[in-house]
Amino acid sequence: MMRRLHSLRRLSGSALLLALCAGLPAAHAAEPTGRAANNGAKAAPAAQKTTPAPKGEQFVDGIAAVVDKDVITLRELRDASIRISTELKSRGIQVPDDQTLQHQVLQRLIMERVQRHEADRLGIRVDDAQVDQAIQTIAARNKISVAQLRGEIEKSGTNWDTYRKSLRDEIRTDRLRQRAVDSTIVISDTEVDAFLKDQRRNPAFGAAPQAQQQPQPQAQPEPAPEQAAAPSGPMLYALAQILVRVPEGSTPEQLAVLRKKAEDILARAKRGDDFASLAAASSDGPEALQGGVMGVRPLDGWPDLFVKAIGNLQKGQVSNLIQSGNGFHIIKVMDRGTAQPAPGRTARTPAPTPAPQPAARPQAPAQQGPTKVMQTRARHILIKTSTVMSDETARQRLEQVRQRLVSGGAKFEDMARQYSQDATAPQGGELGWLNPGETVPPFEAAMNALKPGEISPPIQSPFGWHLIEVEERREHDATDDLARMKARQILFERRAQPAFEDWLEQLRAQAYVDNRLEKQQKIQQNNR
């Protein structure tokens, strides 16, 4: 169903954006500001000698690793290690020893290559105009100009070009996730019914974070303007994790060794060792070099396993060991508090995302009573991009289809059955009745600009290129629809990030990776 276009996004990976917009205490805002920088900030000149070049740089002509047909050089690894070492120091995180740091950095570079190759294979491109649009959106949601946003970014020590590059990478990763994972997650009506039943039986279930007691605010030297207002948004949790990954097919003996490793790390975290330093040195999670910081979300936006583990934890506390299909997790509550919800597609978006946002849609009311919305009944034709179907080719093909439709030479439903690559093609592209906020912003904006009977020009979304036909509109009591959509979103959010991480692991396992630096280090150890 095309309702997989639902705008059920996780937060942007850029923790600098979280600091600007999450609305949590400023003391926490400083915690995750490294993410944007970690994606490529230039090292300060004083840090040029922080990390020496790897021993044996002459090994295999300076190749650290080969990913498919792409090469990661030792120089690239060294430069990234210097940069990240500087960032860790600037955030007060103990830098691991050289070999551990290089291992962590190389794993990150390998995963970045794997994701980039998959995005290229799927024809996912992010141009300068899309980055500019994302920056304008971020600035608007923070109620500042682009120039002021740039000033804030550079004040934090991040080069503006580096920030743009990190944002481009995040948009590409987000679109990759939408294309590869989001459409595979199906929340059944039965699951929604069960969730709503539990919520009615136990009001603390699902939306309860808003009703929990708010921690006492700490003194803040320069609170953001948004923080001056009385908090009225959902309870937000800033979490960090240490992951000890258990490879698929591990033997019981290997599992026992990894469990012991996780227990030892947990013991150190419980006794007060710096969590961020432990994560940087020991975590197998993708956010290890950010001190394990995963971001800020409402409680019900985190996976079920995390929700159960942290529900009763206060700021600064660490969970017990959590076992999942990926391995053993240790979670720390970095901060928790309420915030004014930022405008966006849904009432549950506490921080900006790279994609453009429409005006805020009506939120589900807290009081009993009908909620009237304008619904749109529409159909569409989708053509996905790939290495053999460029953006321009897809757009031109849809433009030709549109000319046939406008001239009366074909029917929309027939063209959808023939050309559309969406699951709705057999139904003539029929999407049914759509509520505000139910589709991604570019799609919704184009749809809202049409009158009944009109056909849009080709428009682009994270899923590809679309033609949209609006069939009719109606005012509808959407009280029940919105409650169900909110429940569906909560259930989706709980599954989406773990599903994406699983998919990335599968993608990594399928890629050809020759870690030559690791081989060299093993040879050196054996010769000692």
PDB file of all heavy atoms in Angstrom, residues 450-454 470-473:
ATOM      1  N   LEU A 450      -3.408  20.712  -5.482  1.00  0.00           N
ATOM      2  CA  LEU A 450      -4.281  20.304  -6.584  1.00  0.00           C
ATOM      3  C   LEU A 450      -5.750  20.461  -6.228  1.00  0.00           C
ATOM      4  O   LEU A 450      -6.153  20.252  -5.078  1.00  0.00           O
ATOM      5  CB  LEU A 450      -4.006  18.845  -6.958  1.00  0.00           C
ATOM      6  CG  LEU A 450      -2.593  18.486  -7.433  1.00  0.00           C
ATOM      7  CD1 LEU A 450      -2.477  16.972  -7.604  1.00  0.00           C
ATOM      8  CD2 LEU A 450      -2.268  19.210  -8.736  1.00  0.00           C
ATOM      9  N   LYS A 451      -6.538  20.776  -7.234  1.00  0.00           N
ATOM     10  CA  LYS A 451      -7.988  20.734  -7.096  1.00  0.00           C
ATOM     11  C   LYS A 451      -8.472  19.356  -7.540  1.00  0.00           C
ATOM     12  O   LYS A 451      -7.778  18.663  -8.294  1.00  0.00           O
ATOM     13  CB  LYS A 451      -8.636  21.816  -7.963  1.00  0.00           C
ATOM     14  CG  LYS A 451      -8.261  23.236  -7.575  1.00  0.00           C
ATOM     15  CD  LYS A 451      -8.892  24.241  -8.538  1.00  0.00           C
ATOM     16  CE  LYS A 451      -8.494  25.676  -8.169  1.00  0.00           C
ATOM     17  NZ  LYS A 451      -9.066  26.654  -9.136  1.00  0.00           N
ATOM     18  N   PRO A 452      -9.641  18.931  -7.083  1.00  0.00           N
ATOM     19  CA  PRO A 452     -10.165  17.639  -7.542  1.00  0.00           C
ATOM     20  C   PRO A 452     -10.200  17.569  -9.066  1.00  0.00           C
ATOM     21  O   PRO A 452     -10.640  18.504  -9.744  1.00  0.00           O
ATOM     22  CB  PRO A 452     -11.565  17.606  -6.937  1.00  0.00           C
ATOM     23  CG  PRO A 452     -11.445  18.419  -5.690  1.00  0.00           C
ATOM     24  CD  PRO A 452     -10.500  19.534  -6.046  1.00  0.00           C
ATOM     25  N   GLY A 453      -9.666  16.464  -9.598  1.00  0.00           N
ATOM     26  CA  GLY A 453      -9.613  16.276 -11.032  1.00  0.00           C
ATOM     27  C   GLY A 453      -8.297  16.696 -11.654  1.00  0.00           C
ATOM     28  O   GLY A 453      -8.025  16.361 -12.811  1.00  0.00           O
ATOM     29  N   GLU A 454      -7.463  17.426 -10.914  1.00  0.00           N
ATOM     30  CA  GLU A 454      -6.195  17.886 -11.461  1.00  0.00           C
ATOM     31  C   GLU A 454      -5.100  16.829 -11.262  1.00  0.00           C
ATOM     32  O   GLU A 454      -5.164  16.009 -10.344  1.00  0.00           O
ATOM     33  CB  GLU A 454      -5.763  19.195 -10.799  1.00  0.00           C
ATOM     34  CG  GLU A 454      -6.581  20.398 -11.226  1.00  0.00           C
ATOM     35  CD  GLU A 454      -6.038  21.699 -10.666  1.00  0.00           C
ATOM     36  OE1 GLU A 454      -5.344  21.666  -9.609  1.00  0.00           O
ATOM     37  OE2 GLU A 454      -6.304  22.755 -11.260  1.00  0.00           O
ATOM     38  N   VAL A 470      -5.774  14.085  -7.673  1.00  0.00           N
ATOM     39  CA  VAL A 470      -6.728  14.238  -6.582  1.00  0.00           C
ATOM     40  C   VAL A 470      -8.122  13.928  -7.116  1.00  0.00           C
ATOM     41  O   VAL A 470      -8.571  14.538  -8.089  1.00  0.00           O
ATOM     42  CB  VAL A 470      -6.685  15.659  -5.994  1.00  0.00           C
ATOM     43  CG1 VAL A 470      -7.855  15.889  -5.047  1.00  0.00           C
ATOM     44  CG2 VAL A 470      -5.362  15.880  -5.256  1.00  0.00           C
ATOM     45  N   GLU A 471      -8.786  12.963  -6.480  1.00  0.00           N
ATOM     46  CA  GLU A 471     -10.122  12.562  -6.929  1.00  0.00           C
ATOM     47  C   GLU A 471     -11.215  13.383  -6.250  1.00  0.00           C
ATOM     48  O   GLU A 471     -12.142  13.863  -6.903  1.00  0.00           O
ATOM     49  CB  GLU A 471     -10.316  11.071  -6.648  1.00  0.00           C
ATOM     50  CG  GLU A 471      -9.300  10.196  -7.392  1.00  0.00           C
ATOM     51  CD  GLU A 471      -9.382   8.747  -6.983  1.00  0.00           C
ATOM     52  OE1 GLU A 471     -10.163   8.001  -7.612  1.00  0.00           O
ATOM     53  OE2 GLU A 471      -8.684   8.370  -6.022  1.00  0.00           O
ATOM     54  N   GLU A 472     -11.124  13.547  -4.952  1.00  0.00           N
ATOM     55  CA  GLU A 472     -12.121  14.351  -4.237  1.00  0.00           C
ATOM     56  C   GLU A 472     -11.615  14.676  -2.839  1.00  0.00           C
ATOM     57  O   GLU A 472     -10.626  14.122  -2.367  1.00  0.00           O
ATOM     58  CB  GLU A 472     -13.464  13.606  -4.140  1.00  0.00           C
ATOM     59  CG  GLU A 472     -13.368  12.239  -3.502  1.00  0.00           C
ATOM     60  CD  GLU A 472     -14.709  11.520  -3.481  1.00  0.00           C
ATOM     61  OE1 GLU A 472     -15.717  12.187  -3.165  1.00  0.00           O
ATOM     62  OE2 GLU A 472     -14.746  10.314  -3.773  1.00  0.00           O
ATOM     63  N   ARG A 473     -12.305  15.600  -2.165  1.00  0.00           N
ATOM     64  CA  ARG A 473     -11.984  15.969  -0.789  1.00  0.00           C
ATOM     65  C   ARG A 473     -13.258  15.999   0.035  1.00  0.00           C
ATOM     66  O   ARG A 473     -14.360  16.184  -0.491  1.00  0.00           O
ATOM     67  CB  ARG A 473     -11.295  17.339  -0.727  1.00  0.00           C
ATOM     68  CG  ARG A 473      -9.857  17.314  -1.242  1.00  0.00           C
ATOM     69  CD  ARG A 473      -9.096  18.576  -0.843  1.00  0.00           C
ATOM     70  NE  ARG A 473      -7.685  18.449  -1.157  1.00  0.00           N
ATOM     71  CZ  ARG A 473      -7.131  18.851  -2.291  1.00  0.00           C
ATOM     72  NH1 ARG A 473      -7.897  19.405  -3.229  1.00  0.00           N
ATOM     73  NH2 ARG A 473      -5.841  18.689  -2.500  1.00  0.00           N
TER      74      ARG A 473
END
